[in-house]
Amino acid sequence: MLKITRERTGHTQQQFAEALRMDTTSVQGWESGRRPLTAISVGKLREVRRTLLRMGADPGLLVLLGEATDADTLISYALSGRSGSDLHEHPLAGWVVNRDTTHMIAWSLTGKAPAAFPPSTSTKTRRRGPVADAPLLGADERIALFAHLRWAAELGHRAGDAGALLRRQALYLCSYDEAPDTASWLADMRRHLAAPTRGRWTPHWADYRSVAAGMTRHGNLDGIHAFLSYGMDDIGETANLNYWAYWLGLDPLPRADDSFMVARSNSWDRLALLRRLTDRLQPHLGCIDLNVRSVWSLIGSRPGLLAADPALNTALGQRVCDLLDSDVVSRRSRADLESVHYGLRLHRV
């Protein structure tokens, strides 16, 4: 992230080092990974960010640089070989991770750049010698990382409610593992989770949602369909929308546990969330049924939401029609889509 941010300013490593009043080898070490950027002082890290901004860096990339340092912290912890029984020491046990940080971690596993990456406006890239296209971990490191995450999920499971956040987040990250036994391991872990209880929210609700979403990455839709059947009552729909807002960065406040999901009072922008969820109404997504239900409940939660943005209504209407013409959604989702389609027609009238 540091290298990409610096390169997009059009400045060389030497120019960046001079602006920081440092030796070029320090910048080279940070960008190659030989020297962890997270090891420098907080004051120096802030100076790095301010210097990049002064040099013309994209502010969006600077925000993602912060997410990248969080991802580095988690990966470093996992690869450190720690295996203590105090789950509260684990970074995933007291910090709710959002989409951007999760995608940063996934970038090191899959090579796929985070969805939040701002597009480059420059065609000039100053590089010397072979440079990796992505911060991919080596094969042995990936094996070690996923072994640690499975251990963390099982540690959280044994801790009961106290380990709910660690268990949930480790389970979801394990879904990125392409090992042959991952799908069966996730399904087995799901069988040991308490199913959502209608009319009552517990940490198990978030557990079930995350592991069900992760299972879709391996083509298993049973979990997500069960979650939609049992976990999406009034309380569940509120929790689902609050979690979407946090996951997508519309609720920027840091969270230490999942209890924020059931708050009835919140300040995030519902129209902004509808825009984001409309973008996720794509047939190829494994969680398409969850995304459809989320759009349906969001529109129902705020009368008049469809009157706020005609252009969004047009885009939403096209996505709804495309899904209704496909065969990728469940019968329940088809009914939700028809309800949304009817609401859009009424609004136009």
Side-chain angles (χ1 to χ4, degrees):
M1 274 303 307
L2 179 65
K3 179 184 66 179
I4 290 172
T5 304
R6 189 263 307 162
E7 286 180 340
R8 288 194 184 183
T9 68
H11 290 81
T12 65
Q13 289 180 337
Q14 181 178 349
Q15 290 169 332
F16 183 35
E18 289 173 354
L20 288 169
R21 299 178 301 282
M22 296 180 64
D23 190 270
T24 306
T25 56
S26 295
V27 173
Q28 291 172 342
W30 292 338
E31 294 191 1
S32 67
R34 293 192 306 271
R35 297 183 179 182
L37 187 63
T38 52
I40 66 176
S41 68
V42 173
K44 192 63 180 180
L45 184 57
R46 294 181 70 86
E47 182 185 352
V48 166
R49 289 163 56 92
R50 287 194 300 268
T51 301
L52 285 168
L53 186 62
R54 190 170 63 250
M55 294 169 68
D58 186 328
L61 287 176
L62 291 179
V63 172
L64 290 178
L65 182 60
E67 304 289 356
T69 57
D70 286 340
D72 274 353
T73 299
L74 193 151
I75 292 171
S76 297
Y77 184 93
L79 295 180
S80 68
R82 301 182 192 181
S83 57
S85 58
D86 186 356
L87 62 89
H88 297 294
E89 292 182 356
H90 201 286
L92 290 176
W95 159 46
V96 182
V97 180
N98 63 15
R99 181 195 65 166
D100 291 344
T101 301
T102 301
H103 284 188
M104 284 291 172
I105 298 167
W107 192 18
S108 71
L109 300 168
T110 66
K112 183 180 179 181
F117 245 43
S120 176
T121 58
S122 173
T123 58
K124 296 182 179 180
T125 301
R126 301 187 180 187
R127 293 189 179 188
R128 294 178 59 187
V131 179
D133 293 328
L136 281 171
L137 294 173
D140 290 342
E141 290 175 316
R142 289 199 294 272
I143 291 172
L145 175 60
F146 285 122
H148 172 88
L149 289 172
R150 289 195 186 191
W151 166 82
E154 291 165 358
L155 174 66
H157 184 70
R158 291 192 297 271
D161 286 357
L165 184 61
L166 174 61
R167 177 178 62 236
R168 173 177 78 77
Q169 299 194 121
L171 280 172
Y172 185 77
L173 289 172
C174 282
S175 69
Y176 286 98
D177 190 359
E178 296 180 352
D181 68 333
T182 298
S184 59
W185 182 81
L186 286 171
D188 183 63
M189 289 297 290
R190 172 178 161 261
R191 282 191 290 271
H192 289 86
L193 297 178
T197 303
R198 297 188 70 84
R200 186 168 66 91
W201 187 91
T202 70
H204 300 296
W205 180 95
D207 250 2
Y208 210 86
R209 183 189 187 279
S210 287
V211 73
M215 288 169 61
T216 66
R217 190 169 281 115
H218 295 268
N220 188 334
L221 304 182
D222 293 344
I224 209 70
H225 290 160
F227 172 77
L228 290 172
S229 295
Y230 300 108
M232 290 295 279
D233 55 7
D234 288 344
I235 295 175
E237 287 181 1
T238 295
N240 181 56
L241 295 179
N242 282 338
Y243 185 47
W244 269 123
Y246 182 85
W247 174 255
L248 296 173
L250 302 176
D251 174 5
L253 298 177
R255 306 292 183 175
D257 57 47
D258 288 333
S259 60
F260 75 95
M261 296 184 190
V262 288
R264 291 287 180 177
S265 58
N266 50 65
S267 57
W268 50 265
D269 187 337
R270 277 177 162 71
L271 184 61
L273 181 57
L274 183 58
R275 291 193 185 97
R276 299 288 190 88
L277 292 178
T278 296
D279 289 340
R280 301 182 74 86
L281 294 182
Q282 301 183 37
H284 69 277
L285 295 178
C287 283
I288 185 61
D289 290 311
L290 174 61
N291 298 348
V292 167
R293 186 66 180 183
S294 300
V295 167
W296 177 88
S297 63
L298 176 59
I299 292 172
S301 73
R302 181 61 58 88
L305 190 61
L306 291 178
D309 188 339
L312 175 59
N313 285 6
T314 300
L316 176 58
Q318 185 61 58
R319 292 292 176 94
V320 168
C321 289
D322 289 346
L323 287 174
L324 287 173
D325 289 339
S326 73
D327 59 356
V328 299
V329 296
S330 67
R331 187 175 357 178
R332 180 194 301 269
S333 293
R334 185 167 292 275
D336 290 342
L337 288 167
E338 289 172 348
S339 176
V340 172
H341 187 254
Y342 181 68
L344 289 167
R345 287 177 59 195
L346 284 180
H347 173 69
R348 284 194 293 271
V349 173

